[in-house]
Amino acid sequence: MSENQNIDHSTDESIVRSNFIHNIIDEDIENNVYDRKVHTRFPPEPNGYLHIGHAKSICLNFGTAKKYRGLCNLRFDDTNPIKEEVEFIESIKKDVKWLGFDWEERMYYASDYFEKLYECAIILIEKGKAYVCDLSAEQMREYRGTLTSNGKPSPYRDRSVQENLDLFKRMRAGEFEDGARVLRANIDMESPNLNMRDPVLYRISHATHHRTKDDWCIYPMYDYAHPISDALEDITHSICTLEFEAHRPLYDWVLSELDFKQPPKQIEFARLELTNTVMSKRKLRKLVEEGYVNGWDDPRMPTMSALRRRGYTPEAIRDFCDKIGVAKAISQVDIALLEHCIRDNLKLKEARMMAVLRPLKVVITNYPADKVEYFKVENNQESPEMGTREVPFCREIYIEQEDFMENPPKKYFRLYPGNEVRLKNAYFVKCEEIIKNDAGEIVEIRCTYDPETRSGSGFTGRKVKGTLHWVSAQHAVKAQVRLYDNLFLEQEQAAVSESVELDGMMLNKNSLEVIESYIEPSVKEAKSGQRYQFIRNGYFCVDAVDSTPEKMVFNRIVSLKSSFKIKN
Ligand code: ATP
Ligand code: MG
């Protein structure tokens, strides 16, 4: 088949743009390296929730399969019995689906292959390529040598095949304590690559596995289980992150010694690193377990479940993964790019509402107390097909506190004593009086309005420089609004902000602000997860966990402005 016939040229945006991995695949197709379809896999260890870094890997693996009309498997790498939990498996499945990818019927577990992996170990022993070693972990480290010194052979390296078979079977049968013995590959103690100095293939662990229960008390190591799992699933291109580069010779060694035909090939790429973000599952888990955040889906977390709850869309995350590209060189991506992607995705899709986050009451003294007008307003001026809605106006309204100043500086065009501004979609109002409480704080503004200046009436008598958004006090929905800032601070930010250090993470003490706000009444109908633009204030979504019809809760997904300039 020629290359052109093999590639899916549809314009589906879930197909990743071309990258160096695709060049390798193109070459393999050209040279007929495989007589099977391009086949990738996404192999998470079910020991935590997926994060935005995993999204990069998911988009790459599933996107590559799609591009070449191939297949991508979901495989749980559950070779470590201690750390894995069913909760994580369910969340991983949900996240992959939500991102828009489908493993069809190909969901596997490395633990499905335990018997097969054991048989392969027997083959290696029979070939003299693996042996049972009784050195302690500490002794083994000593014998291994260092980058600058050779290793020396284990005294158990020359055991007979017979003795190795007998001991390995007895390891499986549970005769020995944890750590008493291991099975090691017999490769090369003088290799410059430490991974090749007789690496451990199996260890003893009398632990209950979440799927195989107590069937096994020996467990295969990742470097041994992974290539074989790939080969058993007919994977052609095993894409992983850069830290496995030095493990590739071992990956190839295992498959070659076991005589797999057309073995899969491992290709490494640079993992995603984002500013203001920590992506180690171990560290994220610590934040959850020690109560620094409210669970894995706390909207400040970099997990997929948190991004979903915050209001991110799968389209925005896929777009982000496409924009960052795939390369060998590690580089840190500015989190502003992720924010750019969600703004861009929501811009034309979501209705633009008026919400007053920090309210200040305004009374329009010459507007009748019992009068209500309804103004027809476009839902999104850039998307006329989104229709219109009615917004009520009456004598008492709220504006943002920051839209009024008693003693304004030059070039302040919003409301101040004696100044006239436009109320968006409504009338011009002029500030006549300030009401303060006993403490001297401003609690209310009194204005007059000019009935001639109604928006849309064609009024051209005079111009004003400021336009303010507002909500009708009588009609507005009082809601809780949660504003988020980065949970993690970069070093230089931590130096000038309130932060707390935990396990190397610099946590922002001010990453969450909860306020009571007023929102125009049309949001009453909103469903859980529904998104809006609140003009000037950002994109928001109805919190899927805490919002109720009686007490609505909104998350700010992202503010409207960014200093970030995107090149393409
Ligand atoms: P962590 O360090 O967060 O625990 P991990 O690599 O141990 O991550 P796995 O469950 O083993 O987590 O990862 C599944 C797949 O996702 C692997 O192929 C891994 O290379 C990839 N992956 C993990 N983190 C990133 C990242 N930041 N960028 C790109 N791919 C990643
Ligand atoms: Mg891992």
Side-chain angles (χ1 to χ4, degrees):
M1 214 190 284
S2 85
E3 186 192 327
N4 280 349
Q5 284 167 302
N6 246 329
I7 297 179
D8 187 336
H9 284 289
S10 65
T11 53
D12 185 331
E13 38 95 32
S14 65
I15 292 176
V16 286
R17 70 169 77 174
S18 207
N19 56 53
F20 81 95
I21 295 176
H22 295 163
N23 298 344
I24 295 173
I25 295 176
D26 289 341
E27 221 168 272
D28 287 347
I29 291 171
E30 185 94 358
N31 299 328
N32 291 311
V33 174
Y34 296 103
D35 57 19
R36 54 187 192 266
K37 286 182 180 178
V38 170
H39 203 147
T40 57
R41 83 285 169 271
F42 172 63
E45 188 178 349
N47 62 348
Y49 280 63
L50 297 184
H51 52 58
I52 180 78
H54 293 113
K56 175 176 180 177
S57 177
I58 295 169
C59 289
L60 176 59
N61 278 295
F62 281 93
T64 297
K66 189 157 193 172
K67 170 169 175 171
Y68 291 94
R69 297 188 195 281
L71 301 168
C72 181
N73 299 355
L74 174 63
R75 183 197 314 140
F76 291 104
D77 167 28
D78 59 349
T79 50
N80 185 346
I82 316 281
K83 293 186 299 189
E84 288 133 15
E85 289 174 32
V86 178
E87 175 196 351
F88 299 135
I89 291 181
E90 290 311 312
S91 78
I92 290 169
K93 284 158 63 178
K94 184 173 174 182
D95 289 347
V96 174
K97 280 194 187 145
W98 178 74
L99 249 195
F101 298 105
D102 185 3
W103 56 85
E104 296 167 323
E105 71 293 346
R106 293 177 314 281
M107 181 179 84
Y108 303 114
Y109 293 87
S111 58
D112 292 340
Y113 311 131
F114 280 172
E115 192 63 49
K116 193 78 198 168
L117 292 162
Y118 179 81
E119 286 166 21
C120 288
I122 298 285
I123 293 171
L124 291 178
I125 294 171
E126 284 170 345
K127 285 179 73 176
K129 295 292 181 181
Y131 62 96
V132 174
C133 180
D134 305 356
L135 292 180
S136 67
E138 194 182 328
Q139 286 171 319
M140 233 179 335
R141 244 191 319 277
E142 265 166 45
Y143 276 73
R144 187 181 299 130
T146 64
L147 282 173
T148 50
S149 66
N150 278 340
K152 57 181 182 186
S154 157
Y156 304 98
R157 201 174 202 242
D158 297 320
R159 274 179 164 151
S160 69
V161 168
Q162 232 28 60
E163 190 183 2
N164 281 321
L165 283 175
D166 173 61
L167 284 172
F168 188 53
K169 285 176 185 166
R170 286 164 61 196
M171 277 168 67
R172 176 181 185 169
E175 256 186 61
F176 312 117
E177 296 296 300
D178 288 6
R181 296 193 153 93
V182 293
L183 183 74
R184 296 176 71 174
N186 187 337
I187 308 180
D188 179 6
M189 289 308 291
E190 295 185 5
S191 169
N193 183 341
L194 294 181
N195 295 308
M196 298 299 273
R197 294 185 188 172
D198 292 10
V200 174
L201 305 180
Y202 267 91
R203 66 195 190 285
I204 300 173
S205 172
H206 291 266
T208 303
H209 185 279
H210 73 109
R211 295 186 77 237
T212 59
K213 307 298 174 207
D214 295 316
D215 290 354
W216 295 88
C217 60
I218 54 172
Y219 289 94
M221 303 302 286
Y222 176 88
D223 279 345
Y224 171 73
H226 203 77
I228 299 175
S229 306
D230 282 345
L232 293 173
E233 291 178 17
D234 283 338
I235 301 304
T236 55
H237 298 86
S238 179
I239 303 170
C240 65
T241 38
L242 225 46
E243 68 273 20
F244 291 102
E245 194 167 26
H247 299 237
R248 187 176 352 121
L250 179 53
Y251 183 99
D252 293 339
W253 181 90
V254 169
L255 295 178
S256 150
E257 290 300 336
L258 291 168
D259 218 16
F260 281 101
K261 300 291 175 255
Q262 300 186 352
K265 66 173 63 159
Q266 176 180 306
I267 309 171
E268 310 86 17
F269 70 99
R271 62 170 50 225
L272 170 64
E273 286 180 19
L274 258 187
T275 58
N276 294 97
T277 311
V278 165
M279 277 190 274
S280 144
K281 276 185 280 189
R282 185 182 60 76
K283 289 187 175 179
L284 296 178
R285 190 174 180 144
K286 193 166 183 132
L287 293 179
V288 174
E289 284 171 355
E290 299 190 7
Y292 285 89
V293 294
N294 305 313
W296 287 95
D297 68 348
D298 184 308
R300 293 167 291 176
M301 292 279 273
T303 56
M304 305 257 281
S305 44
L307 289 165
R308 174 167 59 236
R309 179 171 170 192
R310 174 113 168 220
Y312 270 79
T313 60
E315 295 81 17
I317 294 177
R318 291 200 303 263
D319 180 36
F320 171 73
C321 291
D322 189 44
K323 283 199 163 69
I324 57 178
V326 177
K328 270 261 184 206
I330 298 176
S331 69
Q332 205 185 33
V333 175
D334 193 325
I335 192 148
L337 179 60
L338 181 62
E339 295 170 352
H340 164 84
C341 291
I342 185 66
R343 278 188 205 103
D344 200 45
N345 183 231
L346 299 182
K347 189 171 60 193
L348 302 178
K349 279 204 311 212
E350 307 303 347
R352 297 174 183 182
M353 302 274 168
M354 293 197 284
V356 173
L357 297 192
R358 294 180 172 83
L360 173 62
K361 192 178 208 176
V362 172
V363 178
I364 302 163
T365 52
N366 60 339
Y367 195 88
D370 52 359
K371 183 171 173 183
V372 181
E373 282 180 276
Y374 286 88
F375 300 141
K376 193 187 233 184
V377 170
E378 264 190 304
N379 283 325
N380 185 329
Q381 301 88 304
E382 291 183 62
S383 301
E385 71 281 4
M386 289 183 66
T388 58
R389 67 179 188 282
E390 305 264 287
V391 180
F393 182 79
C394 61
R395 188 170 194 260
E396 295 193 356
I397 61 170
Y398 292 112
I399 63 168
E400 298 284 352
Q401 287 167 17
E402 62 167 27
D403 284 345
F404 176 82
M405 278 184 103
E406 188 174 7
N407 300 300
K410 269 195 186 134
K411 298 205 171 159
Y412 184 84
F413 299 124
R414 302 178 216 171
L415 205 57
Y416 55 86
N419 190 41
E420 191 174 46
V421 295
R422 180 199 312 275
L423 292 177
K424 192 170 174 63
N425 306 313
Y427 300 101
F428 289 8
V429 290
K430 186 171 175 186
C431 173
E432 310 282 359
E433 192 184 350
I434 304 172
I435 311 290
K436 295 184 179 176
N437 63 13
D438 292 344
E441 297 157 343
I442 300 171
V443 289
E444 186 182 309
I445 304 298
R446 301 245 163 117
C447 288
T448 50
Y449 88 114
D450 177 352
E452 298 298 308
T453 56
R454 191 184 145 164
S455 173
S457 68
F459 175 75
T460 55
R462 61 188 182 276
K463 286 202 163 69
V464 288
K465 281 198 166 149
T467 301
L468 311 188
H469 62 276
W470 52 272
V471 294
S472 155
Q474 180 191 329
H475 302 88
V477 174
K478 190 173 185 189
Q480 184 182 96
V481 168
R482 298 174 180 173
L483 304 175
Y484 303 105
D485 195 358
N486 292 321
L487 178 59
F488 306 99
L489 297 174
E490 298 287 303
Q491 286 300 335
E492 65 275 19
Q493 297 169 329
V496 294
S497 324
E498 287 186 295
S499 63
V500 45
E501 186 179 349
L502 174 74
D503 198 10
M505 296 178 273
M506 303 303 287
L507 297 176
N508 181 1
K509 278 193 169 175
N510 304 310
S511 55
L512 170 64
E513 187 185 359
V514 179
I515 55 178
E516 294 294 321
S517 304
Y518 288 101
I519 306 174
E520 60 166 272
S522 31
V523 300
K524 263 189 212 140
E525 314 298 321
K527 296 184 295 289
S528 158
Q530 188 159 335
R531 302 177 189 87
Y532 297 99
Q533 183 191 109
F534 292 162
I535 56 175
R536 280 176 57 207
N537 284 318
Y539 289 98
F540 290 76
C541 105
V542 179
D543 187 73
V545 177
D546 295 331
S547 190
T548 64
E550 295 72 40
K551 181 72 193 177
M552 296 189 81
V553 178
F554 286 85
N555 297 314
R556 175 146 75 186
I557 309 169
V558 68
S559 60
L560 288 182
K561 281 189 227 81
S562 159
S563 52
F564 189 71
K565 295 274 176 297
I566 177 143
K567 285 192 200 81
N568 49 354

